[in-house]
Amino acid sequence: MEPLRVLELYSGVGGMHHALRESCIPAQVVAAIDVNTVANEVYKYNFPHTQLLAKTIEVLMEFPKVESVHPQKYTMDVENKIQEKNIEPNISFDSSTQCSGKDAILFKLETAEEIHRKNQQDSDLSVKMLKDFLEDDTDMNQYLLPPKSLLRYALLLDIVQPTCRRSVCFTKGYGSYIEGTGSVLQTAEDVQIENIYKSLTKLSQEEQITKLLMLKLRYFTPKEIANLLGFPPEFGMWDTCRIQLSCIKTLKNL
């Protein structure tokens, strides 16, 4: 059988390329395409002999442009999306949201069902603990969540501990956006998260920040996320990702 000739669309840092290599299927990635410059740097470092195109896939095919078919509707849709992204979440620690019943909120914005599901996932002994994927030779202070983010997004954070066996999916917005982009790690394992959140409702903002800082929450490092996603230890170029995350956090604090 002739080796497959593979065109890798939305190639990112090369996850599919690596999976294809590990599968031992006879194949050659003839080209990879992505517009993310940081991802492309990582891809080129790990797959230097693969042709990498910094283009969108639309420029390679006969797809009609949406804006040329319905220009007014396209403009309105774009403006609406921009407005939606600019809406700031108005979050407060309101004790009235804690109610009784099947969907009672225990702390944060989690229901009893969500807590039960997470506990079940953490009880699955066939899955490794997160601590098996963590770095121990890196300065983690640069990855700590700043007080402003803690106060503003405390109810939205998905918090895990090193002994957990689960996390939410990590997206390219991780480190730039909070909600739905990936879990954060509680490094103060001797602090009970339930106690921290249940005591917030009657505190001032300064006291809330003091309480939240006790959890020592931090982002996962790029290398740790790669470990969780199954990339091999030799998969490199993490300094580029570290610089990007550091820049994002710096800009957010300006």
Side-chain angles (χ1 to χ4, degrees):
M1 179 177 126
E2 290 291 325
L4 297 175
R5 291 171 54 81
V6 178
L7 174 62
E8 190 176 12
L9 305 178
Y10 306 108
S11 52
V13 298
M16 290 298 295
H17 193 151
H18 175 69
L20 183 63
R21 176 184 292 177
E22 289 292 305
S23 72
C24 297
I25 296 174
Q28 176 191 5
V29 178
V30 296
I33 302 173
D34 204 296
V35 295
N36 188 297
T37 55
V38 175
N40 286 345
E41 287 297 316
V42 178
Y43 192 102
K44 286 190 291 187
Y45 181 86
N46 290 281
F47 307 104
H49 303 299
T50 300
Q51 182 183 13
L52 179 60
L53 305 176
K55 299 177 180 292
T56 62
I57 64 171
E58 287 81 3
V59 302
L60 305 177
M61 304 179 184
E62 302 305 338
F63 294 140
K65 292 186 177 180
V66 178
E67 62 267 34
S68 64
V69 180
H70 302 289
Q72 293 181 338
K73 182 178 184 302
Y74 177 81
T75 303
M76 292 177 61
D77 288 343
V78 171
E79 291 177 350
N80 290 336
K81 289 181 179 179
I82 293 175
Q83 291 177 358
E84 289 173 3
K85 289 184 178 180
N86 289 334
I87 295 176
E88 299 290 346
N90 184 17
I91 298 173
S92 62
F93 300 101
D94 185 1
S95 58
S96 64
T97 61
Q98 298 183 5
C99 56
S100 60
K102 183 178 179 182
D103 293 324
I105 295 176
L106 305 181
F107 62 94
K108 296 169 67 241
L109 295 180
E110 296 177 318
T111 64
E113 284 80 3
E114 290 171 328
I115 294 294
H116 178 68
R117 173 177 54 80
K118 291 180 178 180
N119 288 337
Q120 281 188 318
Q121 292 173 331
D122 286 332
S123 301
D124 187 352
L125 300 182
S126 66
V127 179
K128 290 183 178 180
M129 292 183 178
L130 292 176
K131 64 181 181 181
D132 295 326
F133 302 90
L134 302 181
E135 292 187 279
D136 56 7
D137 58 351
T138 301
D139 177 19
M140 295 303 174
N141 289 330
Q142 61 181 315
Y143 296 104
L144 291 172
L145 271 69
K148 183 172 67 174
S149 296
L150 289 174
L151 183 63
R152 189 174 184 181
Y153 299 106
L155 295 178
L156 301 176
L157 295 172
D158 182 76
I159 300 173
V160 294
Q161 297 177 335
T163 53
C164 289
R165 303 175 188 273
R166 58 149 213 98
S167 71
V168 298
C169 178
F170 294 96
T171 73
K172 70 177 182 179
Y174 191 66
S176 178
Y177 301 99
I178 297 292
E179 184 177 7
T181 60
S183 301
V184 295
L185 184 68
Q186 176 188 341
T187 58
E189 297 183 70
D190 57 334
V191 179
Q192 295 296 319
I193 184 173
E194 293 87 350
N195 296 335
I196 296 295
Y197 274 86
K198 286 181 179 178
S199 66
L200 285 174
T201 56
K202 300 180 181 179
L203 301 178
S204 66
Q205 287 192 353
E206 292 75 14
E207 291 172 322
Q208 290 175 14
I209 291 175
T210 300
K211 281 283 188 180
L212 292 167
L213 285 173
M214 293 173 61
L215 295 171
K216 295 183 180 178
L217 300 177
R218 72 165 176 85
Y219 293 105
F220 285 83
T221 72
K223 180 61 176 175
E224 290 170 344
I225 296 174
N227 293 340
L228 288 167
L229 295 177
F231 285 93
E234 65 271 15
F235 202 87
M237 200 62 178
W238 300 115
D239 285 342
T240 301
C241 298
R242 293 185 199 278
I243 292 171
Q244 183 193 41
L245 180 58
S246 177
C247 291
I248 289 172
K249 293 178 68 178
T250 299
L251 290 173
K252 287 174 64 178
N253 291 322
L254 292 178

